[in-house]
Amino acid sequence: MKRAIYPGSFDPVTFGHIDMIERSAKMVDELVVAILINSAKNPLFSVEERVSMLEEISGHIPNIRITSFNGLLIDYAREVDASVIVRGLRAVTDFEYELQIAQTNRIINSQIDTVFLTTSLEYAYLSSTIVKEVASYGGDISHFVPERLIDRIYAKYS
């Protein structure tokens, strides 16, 4: 079985994330969508909320599993028996950073490869940070996230 892991903070999940999940899931037998628990960040949503949102918006994809982890991604990939890490690239600056991480991971565990997918053009600008910034000022986020998540995002700022 070919298992890949798609890690991220997903705080909140965006149309760009959904696009990457759908495309990645088509390439493997199972895709583990893994939410990083990062104590250095102050997330808008709890891990449990992010898991719930991802499960809700990805219910139509039969071969994915939503999990969370802390520590090194490469260790978690080994723990879930993933042979591939999927990373999305929006711009050249993403590539420079992601390449360093991928090369480091390859040194730590040469059995796990990283695959880079470029985002679809309509989401190349999109990030969770942008969604939070717009939402914090009450701006329209309907072009960035699924409709069923919009009220939950705005509620965090009221």
Side-chain angles (χ1 to χ4, degrees):
M1 172 183 274
K2 180 65 77 176
R3 182 175 294 122
I5 186 167
Y6 175 51
S9 60
F10 307 104
D11 186 41
V13 62
T14 70
F15 286 133
H17 293 130
I18 296 166
D19 177 59
M20 293 296 296
I21 291 167
E22 290 173 341
R23 290 168 52 210
S24 299
K26 290 176 184 175
M27 297 179 199
V28 295
D29 298 314
E30 183 182 35
L31 179 67
V32 178
V33 179
I35 300 166
L36 172 62
I37 301 169
N38 186 344
S39 60
K41 288 189 175 185
N42 186 19
L44 185 63
F45 291 95
S46 70
V47 171
E48 295 77 19
E49 288 171 314
R50 288 180 274 161
V51 166
S52 174
M53 286 188 288
L54 277 163
E55 287 174 342
E56 185 177 330
I57 60 92
S58 64
H60 65 286
I61 308 168
N63 64 325
I64 70 165
R65 177 168 38 121
I66 312 297
T67 65
S68 61
F69 74 101
N70 57 37
L72 292 176
L73 169 60
I74 196 72
D75 291 339
Y76 188 65
R78 181 178 47 234
E79 184 180 318
V80 298
D81 198 30
S83 58
V84 175
I85 296 169
V86 176
R87 297 300 294 159
L89 300 176
R90 293 172 295 200
V92 172
T93 52
D94 285 348
F95 177 73
E96 292 172 358
Y97 172 75
E98 293 294 343
L99 180 63
Q100 286 181 311
I101 300 300
Q103 290 171 330
T104 302
N105 285 340
R106 187 82 174 147
I107 295 295
I108 295 170
N109 187 334
S110 63
Q111 301 304 305
I112 301 173
D113 283 309
T114 300
V115 172
F116 299 116
L117 291 180
T118 57
T119 59
S120 296
L121 286 177
E122 66 263 37
Y123 306 121
Y125 67 93
L126 186 55
S127 70
S128 294
T129 301
I130 286 173
V131 172
K132 290 185 278 194
E133 180 76 11
V134 173
S136 73
Y137 290 103
D140 180 9
I141 58 172
S142 63
H143 299 286
F144 310 143
V145 299
E147 184 177 337
R148 61 184 153 225
L149 303 183
I150 291 173
D151 289 341
R152 284 180 253 184
I153 296 167
Y154 285 138
K156 292 292 183 173
Y157 295 104
S158 57

